[in-house]
Amino acid sequence: RAKAAERIAALGARAAPDVTRSVDLVVVGEIDLRQLAPGTKKTGKLAKAERLRDAGHDITVIDAEEFYELLAVAEG
């Protein structure tokens, strides 16, 4: 995560520790259901991003592989 944050900072973006209305992209890694609260299938950050998106905020959710592909294109 730290290395990814450095790479996006070099491109003029900023990594945020929490999902808020100012976030426009959320990267979701592989979800291990054993690490989630019983009965849940999403992380809290993913659930919050989806709630904000449903409320009209422009938030895109992608997986880590897609993130690194976009990063490679942006870095040229």
Side-chain angles (χ1 to χ4, degrees):
R1 287 184 185 183
K3 182 67 177 164
E6 289 175 18
R7 290 172 66 185
I8 64 169
L11 295 168
R14 180 178 63 87
D18 298 310
V19 177
T20 65
R21 286 184 254 164
S22 64
V23 169
D24 56 10
L25 178 69
V26 174
V27 180
V28 178
E30 189 172 319
I31 298 174
D32 182 354
L33 296 177
R34 296 171 298 178
Q35 294 182 339
L36 299 177
T40 60
K41 295 183 180 178
K42 301 176 186 176
T43 64
K45 288 183 180 183
L46 176 55
K48 185 170 184 181
E50 289 177 345
R51 283 192 308 272
L52 287 170
R53 186 173 52 198
D54 291 346
H57 297 282
D58 188 18
I59 297 177
T60 302
V61 177
I62 62 174
D63 65 22
E65 182 178 332
E66 198 173 355
F67 169 74
Y68 283 112
E69 288 172 5
L70 290 172
L71 190 56
V73 169
E75 291 173 329

